[in-house]
Amino acid sequence: MTLAPNPDAVSGFFNTFSGIFIFLIAVATTMNTISGEFETGSITPLLTKPVSKNTVFLGKIVASFLTLIAIYAFLTVYVIVGSVVIEGSQNNLLLAPLGLFGLTLATMVWASMVILLGTLSKSSLVAALGSFGVFIGVTIVGTILSSVYGQTSVLFYAPGGGANGSTGSCETFPRSGTNFATGTDNLGYLLIQLVLNPSAVLNFCGVRFGPGGREGEIFTASSDTVATVALRALAVAIVYLAALLVVSWYAFRRSQIVESA
Amino acid sequence: MDTHVIQTENLTKSYGTRIAVNHLNLTVEAKQIHGFLGPNGAGKTTTIKMLVGLLRPDSGSLKILGMNAAGDKPRIRERIGYMPELPKFPKHLTGEELLDVYGRMYNIPKETRRKRIPELLKMVGLEGRGRDRIGKYSKGMQQRIGIAQALLNDPELVILDEPSIGLDPVGMVEVRDMVKEIVKGGQTVFFSSHLLAEVQQICDHVSIINNGNMLFTGTLDEVASKAGPSRRLVLEVQKASDSILHALKALSFATVNTNDNTYTLHLKTKDDVRAEISRAVSAAGGVILRMQEEGGGLEDAFMSLVGKEAE
Ligand SMILES: Nc1ncnc2c1ncn2[C@@H]1O[C@H](COP(=O)(O)OP(=O)(O)O)[C@@H](O)[C@H]1O
Ligand SMILES: [Mg+2]
């Protein structure tokens, strides 16, 4: 048996590697980031050295960011080599670094949530479980909102998978064109699409239920160009990232070392 | 110009409703070896954590080396050394690596670090163990590396929180020697302890704290004389009599309590008055079986101040 060559395997990787995968990577790299220092007690000698709390905090964030870049760089190279060997020559390999950057940024959104909970609770367990709760909550609420209420616009401004966009029409069935998620989780793929097809139009479909629970009707809730969608997701990711980090930074500055030895 | 190395005014800190440090006024002058003495739970660690910026005071003011120490003050921290109570360091580092990382935080140049780190390891008795991971260090060795890292920057003020806690007797003596070694360099040392004997052996000044309140601060001699009750002399005679009691009561330097054949004299003098007492008793026709001085030292002073038994 021979596989049909797939020249888009690499960009496909950036499309599918999202959601729970990047969430778990975020948790794995940052659950101990600040909470671990509190838990082991090594925060005490650290904070009594002539390094400002701001520098300590910044150092932790930069270290998390670099760790994520390193993980994804490794993964990307692995995927590229694997795809070229198995699927043959690949399209748009020059855009892989952009995908890598988007993926890292997407993961940093969840990572900053983990860091915030870790800083507030000083517990890595709370950081991991608490952010998992947020992740599940956002996912469930998002699904309900989008499928039951036919509301997609709220998903544009939530972290995570976001709304599903389609290049095909919502009203025809089976749906034509390509579908992909457009949330902050998918920044890697979105940034690649931003370069490749900025003016392509994405339709966001909603479901409308008739009175008395009659069968739902699918309609086009909104339409945007890929450029708008990708840049909006980028802005949303940056706003979440900044807000979560600012709150963490404030919490870290205010934190006291009350634990008795 | 402020010569106080540490100065707190009405420093106060509570944990919930429990007041751990209550309007504490503490002054430590340059070049003192200042003991911070008090039983467990007295508020020593809480005070020290406020001094080094790990805890925010609820109220009161706090100056270190003449600078206001409230908030995040790296400029102060670069001039002091601090050893936490039962310090914990990253386990994956070796002793040498730890001192090197911390040395870089103090901006100590590489050549200086390379020279100073082995010296420090030797001084704290970790010679030859610098390449071992801290995770494999015993409790005592962690205390030692804790002292070493507090001295890295050649600090003007060294703050040690119970440096000898958890050490065996030999280790405790060695820590005392280290502290004495530190002050040879002219530094000020402020260290806490719940052991009177330790403070007595090392310090020239002492501040005694209990239940968050400062009970006494001054030189060791002052504690014994001012804070303590008068010296006691216990006198046992063969047979008590009114004439003996009368003779003892006539002594100007003591007050007397009686109990069977024993008299307890509370002395108001520091002189050796045993000869006078024995003459007075003989003159009254008594025979002394035993004459013994009790307490009156620092131990007594401490006990009466703190009002509870030490371990
Ligand atoms: N993290 C904490 N939470 C609540 N109470 C504490 C905490 N740390 C210390 N305390 C209380 O504050 C008081 C002073 O404690 P501490 O400063 O550690 O005393 P010391 O160092 O003299 O043994 C004690 O009553 C202690 O129980
Ligand atoms: Mg203590």
Side-chain angles (χ1 to χ4, degrees):
Chain A
M1 191 184 86
T2 53
L3 286 166
N6 176 3
D8 291 316
V10 171
S11 58
F13 158 74
F14 287 110
N15 189 11
T16 48
F17 198 84
S18 65
I20 188 76
F21 297 113
I22 69 167
F23 173 77
L24 288 179
I25 285 184
V27 168
T29 47
T30 54
M31 65 183 281
N32 283 316
T33 287
I34 283 169
S35 54
E37 297 269 353
F38 280 100
E39 281 173 338
T40 61
S42 57
I43 189 86
T44 303
L46 178 62
L47 288 187
T48 47
K49 298 295 173 287
V51 179
S52 72
K53 272 187 158 178
N54 295 346
T55 310
V56 170
F57 184 79
L58 191 69
K60 296 281 172 199
I61 301 305
V62 170
S64 310
F65 189 73
L66 293 180
T67 307
L68 287 177
I69 291 221
I71 291 172
Y72 286 137
F74 178 80
L75 207 58
T76 304
V77 169
Y78 181 83
V79 166
I80 289 175
V81 171
S83 303
V84 169
V85 168
I86 298 169
E87 311 276 8
S89 72
Q90 294 290 306
N91 292 335
N92 307 314
L93 272 188
L94 282 178
L95 294 179
L98 191 62
L100 173 69
F101 169 76
L103 200 50
T104 307
L105 200 60
T107 312
M108 277 306 286
V109 172
W110 290 117
S112 57
M113 170 64 70
V114 179
I115 290 172
L116 172 62
L117 293 178
T119 308
L120 289 175
S121 68
K122 299 176 180 173
S123 152
S124 42
L125 191 67
V126 172
L129 294 183
S131 50
F132 188 64
V134 173
F135 174 80
I136 293 291
V138 168
T139 307
I140 290 176
V141 170
T143 310
I144 291 173
L145 283 180
S146 64
S147 61
V148 176
Y149 297 101
Q151 275 279 352
T152 51
S153 57
V154 65
L155 291 182
F156 297 152
Y157 305 101
N164 259 307
S166 173
T167 53
S169 147
C170 291
E171 283 79 5
T172 57
F173 193 84
R175 190 131 353 121
S176 55
T178 51
N179 290 293
F180 51 89
T182 61
T184 60
D185 280 358
N186 302 82
L187 266 176
Y189 191 64
L190 287 177
L191 292 183
I192 290 176
Q193 289 303 315
L194 173 67
V195 174
L196 293 179
N197 310 303
S199 53
V201 172
L202 286 179
N203 297 314
F204 296 93
C205 311
V207 184
R208 217 170 3 221
F209 291 97
R214 270 195 291 115
E215 205 181 322
E217 171 204 3
I218 298 178
F219 68 104
T220 307
S222 66
S223 303
D224 279 312
T225 62
V226 164
T228 308
V229 170
L231 291 174
R232 186 170 52 207
L234 181 65
V236 168
I238 288 172
V239 167
Y240 275 107
L241 183 60
L244 290 168
L245 288 183
V246 163
V247 179
S248 308
W249 168 75
Y250 183 75
F252 183 67
R253 277 201 61 86
R254 298 276 307 167
S255 64
Q256 303 188 71
I257 315 300
V258 293
E259 285 67 23
S260 33
Chain B
M1 219 355 241
D2 215 331
T3 62
H4 306 311
V5 173
I6 298 175
Q7 188 173 35
T8 76
E9 267 170 31
N10 292 320
L11 195 66
T12 301
K13 181 75 187 176
S14 303
Y15 298 105
T17 54
R18 170 182 284 128
I19 301 176
V21 173
N22 189 7
H23 292 89
L24 195 81
N25 295 309
L26 170 71
T27 305
V28 175
E29 309 282 349
K31 300 200 197 307
Q32 285 181 354
I33 313 179
H34 200 116
F36 194 30
L37 182 63
N40 289 320
K44 305 182 294 295
T45 298
T46 305
T47 304
I48 288 178
K49 280 183 175 176
M50 288 190 277
L51 295 179
V52 297
L54 292 173
L55 286 177
R56 256 192 316 282
D58 293 342
S59 61
S61 74
L62 173 58
K63 278 185 171 178
I64 305 272
L65 299 165
M67 292 178 270
N68 176 7
D72 186 19
K73 291 285 162 61
R75 292 280 301 285
I76 295 178
R77 297 200 293 265
E78 88 197 353
R79 292 168 62 189
I80 67 177
Y82 162 64
M83 180 191 131
E85 181 174 24
L86 301 172
K88 309 253 174 41
F89 301 107
K91 288 186 168 48
H92 61 279
L93 296 178
T94 68
E96 268 177 24
E97 285 165 353
L98 181 88
L99 295 182
D100 199 62
V101 169
Y102 287 166
R104 272 183 278 165
M105 293 183 185
Y106 284 111
N107 282 322
I108 300 173
K110 191 166 186 187
E111 308 82 68
T112 317
R113 294 201 305 268
R114 204 178 284 160
K115 206 166 121 300
R116 184 144 177 78
I117 290 171
E119 280 172 11
L120 280 171
L121 286 171
K122 184 172 176 204
M123 183 196 155
V124 299
L126 287 176
E127 209 177 7
R129 305 300 301 269
R131 300 253 159 99
D132 292 351
R133 292 193 191 291
I134 291 171
K136 292 186 181 155
Y137 280 11
S138 69
K139 241 186 184 174
M141 292 166 72
Q142 302 214 13
Q143 298 277 98
R144 288 162 195 267
I145 199 83
I147 294 179
Q149 58 89 39
L151 300 176
L152 256 177
N153 54 333
D154 204 0
E156 291 158 63
L157 166 64
V158 184
I159 299 177
L160 307 169
D161 195 355
E162 306 241 16
S164 65
I165 202 170
L167 295 182
D168 57 35
V170 177
M172 288 172 77
V173 171
E174 285 175 356
V175 164
R176 274 166 219 175
D177 290 342
M178 282 174 221
V179 173
K180 287 178 188 161
E181 186 77 27
I182 300 169
V183 291
K184 280 188 191 150
Q187 281 125 321
T188 309
V189 178
F190 181 69
F191 84 96
S192 74
S193 175
H194 64 283
L195 298 172
L196 174 72
E198 185 171 72
V199 170
Q200 205 169 355
Q201 283 171 30
I202 310 176
C203 298
D204 42 43
H205 284 72
V206 62
S207 289
I208 302 178
I209 182 178
N210 193 26
N211 294 323
N213 295 303
M214 181 74 92
L215 300 179
F216 177 87
T217 181
T219 64
L220 278 187
D221 290 344
E222 283 168 354
V223 189
S225 59
K226 267 200 220 159
S230 56
R231 290 157 71 209
R232 292 191 306 274
L233 206 66
V234 176
L235 191 71
E236 196 182 333
V237 295
Q238 205 169 38
K239 192 175 183 318
S241 74
D242 282 348
S243 54
I244 298 177
L245 183 62
H246 199 74
L248 290 174
K249 279 190 167 163
L251 296 170
S252 60
F253 50 77
T255 55
V256 189
N257 290 340
T258 337
N259 182 13
D260 288 339
N261 290 340
T262 315
Y263 299 97
T264 305
L265 289 90
H266 297 273
L267 303 181
K268 297 169 198 159
T269 170
K270 283 187 173 176
D271 302 334
D272 188 352
V273 290
R274 282 174 299 185
E276 258 176 275
I277 292 168
S278 113
R279 268 198 301 274
V281 173
S282 304
V287 177
I288 297 176
L289 296 180
R290 182 170 71 94
M291 175 151 47
Q292 200 172 28
E293 186 155 350
E294 258 184 16
L298 203 53
E299 189 78 38
D300 243 29
F302 180 52
M303 287 309 165
S304 75
L305 278 170
V306 167
K308 74 176 229 191
E309 302 281 302
E311 303 100 296

